[in-house]
Amino acid sequence: MPEGPELHLASHFVNEACRGLVFGGCVEKSSVSRNPEVPFESSAYHISASARGKELRLTLSPLPGAQPPQEPLALIFRFGMSGSFQLAPADALPPHAHLRFYTAPPAPRLALCFVDIRRFGHWDPGGKWQPGRGPCVLLEYEQFRENVLRNLSDKAFDRPICEALLDQRFFNGIGNYLRAEILYRLRIPPFEKARTVLEALQHHRPSPEMTLSQKIRAKLQNPDLLELCHSVPKEVVQLGGKGYGPEHGEEDFAAFRAWLRCYGMPGMSSLRDRHGRTIWFQGDPGPLAPKGGKSRKKKSQETQLQPKEKLEDLPPPNKAPSRTPRARRHLPKKTAIQQPEGTSLQQDLKAPTVPEKGRRKGKQATTECHGPWKNKADNPSKGSETCVAC
């Protein structure tokens, strides 16, 4: 699911794809989207983008002389679990294109589309970053570090470090795969108390006798957790791809899959935190591990992931349909319904209940993100982290 690096890759894609294009007309919203209408119309405007943490700002800027006279409009996007941008021919829109910006005639019309298969993404006209989110781990490192160390008395740091890393008030841009990779590199148990891990950094100061090059070398050789919260997402951005490369398919994710060391990897263990999110790790889970939680190791056998799908974003496997007693009598003896072997990701998710004829429908399976799909749940201290914080 999109985290800080994916939002930054998306903003880079929008700026590259829309450079030199002139858009015109109204902004079109799909009939099934519950997001607000975008009150903007202009005969000629440009589109640009910027990202901050897990949010992306799209700016619509009318050109001089465009009609009707219109002030620039900014939209803030949160990608949910499957949001992305695509540029496509206007007569061949991609499925699930829930917001569309069309180029002006007479050139062949194109459409910049916000594509969201699961419809958990959200946009807000107004252009203001969501209040309460901390500084961006990628672009505002010094402010980010200061914000964390200044607020270690907050109750968020009473919790396991794996849960604190998802609190967007302090770690704006960190999500599920990033927290696993960061903790794994430092061999920090995911269920160690967050304050215990971070307090030591308050007093860590490089020797004043060290030269600047020595300080830089020391940071590179022995980075602390907050430094990795900056450098690890930066590595993902530098990989490129993730749905925005020239291949736009499975090969576009190859570099990212090769980069992963921990998240969903063979030999790694996994547990669910108190919000139901799966954390991957190696070794001891730590003193605050959930009681009764059973660590499951990732099997070495891997199934092929589909293009533009990431670990833990796949739907759960279908459960074989149940049969009535009458139908079972006609089954040959020793016949068994074979269940496909799922990936560890699929093993973490509950399969949906398929109702039998004449019975009430069962509840549908939930995804890793629990609770209402509201952006206020970005803050795990106030409830489960939803797709908006993912």
Side-chain angles (χ1 to χ4, degrees):
M1 53 191 68
E3 302 183 17
E6 287 72 36
L7 274 292
H8 284 267
L9 287 169
S11 69
H12 177 74
F13 165 77
V14 170
N15 290 329
E16 290 295 314
C18 297
R19 181 176 291 128
L21 294 180
V22 176
F23 292 80
C26 299
V27 179
E28 187 175 271
K29 182 176 80 75
S30 71
S31 59
V32 297
S33 174
R34 296 180 181 178
N35 281 309
E37 297 283 349
V38 177
F40 183 88
E41 180 180 2
S42 176
S43 59
Y45 65 96
H46 285 160
I47 292 179
S48 61
S50 60
R52 181 179 185 268
K54 290 191 180 182
E55 296 181 298
L56 181 145
R57 176 189 284 150
L58 206 66
T59 303
L60 316 180
S61 303
L63 301 182
Q67 297 296 323
Q70 177 81 271
E71 291 295 320
L73 176 70
L75 302 165
I76 296 294
F77 286 81
R78 291 177 284 277
F79 280 18
M81 296 183 73
S82 59
S84 68
F85 278 97
Q86 294 184 34
L87 187 68
D91 58 357
L93 297 176
H96 312 287
H98 295 300
L99 198 64
R100 305 178 282 267
F101 308 85
Y102 293 96
T103 57
R109 297 193 75 195
L110 300 173
L112 178 68
C113 305
F114 179 64
V115 179
D116 187 9
I117 296 174
R118 300 191 177 187
R119 283 190 266 164
F120 295 144
H122 191 77
W123 61 78
D124 289 316
K128 294 184 179 180
W129 303 117
Q130 188 179 30
R133 288 179 180 262
C136 176
V137 296
L138 268 166
L139 301 181
E140 303 166 313
Y141 170 67
E142 294 299 335
Q143 299 96 310
F144 149 70
R145 186 181 183 94
E146 181 184 355
N147 183 48
V148 171
L149 297 180
R150 187 179 63 242
N151 290 288
L152 286 183
S153 60
D154 191 277
K155 63 181 181 181
F157 298 103
D158 292 332
R159 297 180 180 136
I161 186 61
C162 67
E163 294 180 9
L165 283 170
L166 297 183
D167 192 324
Q168 300 301 291
R169 296 178 301 160
F170 304 109
F171 297 91
N172 187 12
I174 301 297
N176 213 20
Y177 80 79
L178 283 174
R179 67 171 177 171
E181 296 297 320
I182 291 166
L183 294 175
Y184 171 78
R185 293 192 185 191
L186 295 174
R187 300 296 189 267
I188 295 175
F191 291 93
E192 182 64 71
K193 189 175 182 179
R195 190 175 292 107
T196 301
V197 174
L198 294 167
E199 271 183 337
L201 306 186
Q202 286 182 313
H203 310 293
H204 178 68
R205 295 285 187 276
S207 170
E209 299 178 357
M210 294 175 65
T211 65
L212 178 60
S213 61
Q214 289 174 330
K215 292 177 183 179
I216 294 174
R217 190 181 305 114
K219 278 190 174 184
L220 293 175
Q221 292 175 348
N222 299 291
D224 62 37
L225 184 140
L226 297 181
E227 287 165 348
L228 285 185
C229 285
H230 170 68
S231 63
V232 172
K234 196 173 180 180
E235 289 177 15
V236 180
V237 173
Q238 292 169 346
L239 290 174
K242 305 297 287 296
Y244 294 111
E247 298 299 330
H248 294 287
E250 178 63 26
E251 294 182 9
D252 199 29
F253 283 88
F256 174 71
R257 298 189 199 287
W259 173 85
L260 288 171
R261 303 184 192 179
C262 176
Y263 184 75
M265 291 290 101
M268 297 297 157
S269 301
S270 66
L271 281 171
R272 290 181 183 269
D273 62 24
R274 70 188 186 95
H275 301 298
R277 302 292 304 279
T278 300
I279 175 67
W280 296 90
F281 62 96
Q282 187 177 55
D284 179 20
L288 300 182
K291 294 181 180 179
K294 295 183 179 180
S295 175
R296 290 174 288 181
K297 282 205 170 184
K298 170 76 173 181
K299 294 183 179 180
S300 59
Q301 184 177 358
E302 292 284 291
T303 58
Q304 186 73 16
L305 295 178
Q306 295 300 316
K308 295 192 178 181
E309 295 273 26
K310 294 189 299 181
L311 298 169
E312 289 203 51
D313 284 357
L314 295 179
N318 291 328
K319 185 178 179 181
S322 57
R323 299 178 182 270
T324 63
R326 178 179 297 178
R328 282 197 292 268
R329 285 201 297 270
H330 294 287
L331 282 175
K333 291 182 179 180
K334 298 183 181 180
T335 297
I337 300 172
Q338 296 295 324
Q339 293 281 1
E341 183 177 356
T343 63
S344 65
L345 147 69
Q346 293 168 332
Q347 292 163 356
D348 284 336
L349 301 179
K350 297 179 181 178
T353 303
V354 179
E356 297 181 11
K357 185 177 180 181
R359 294 190 180 184
R360 285 194 316 177
K361 293 183 179 179
K363 293 183 178 179
Q364 294 295 317
T366 58
T367 61
E368 276 289 288
C369 293
H370 296 270
W373 300 101
K374 301 292 185 182
N375 52 14
K376 69 179 182 179
D378 273 8
N379 179 359
S381 68
K382 296 182 180 180
S384 62
E385 186 195 46
T386 70
C387 71
V388 180
C390 295

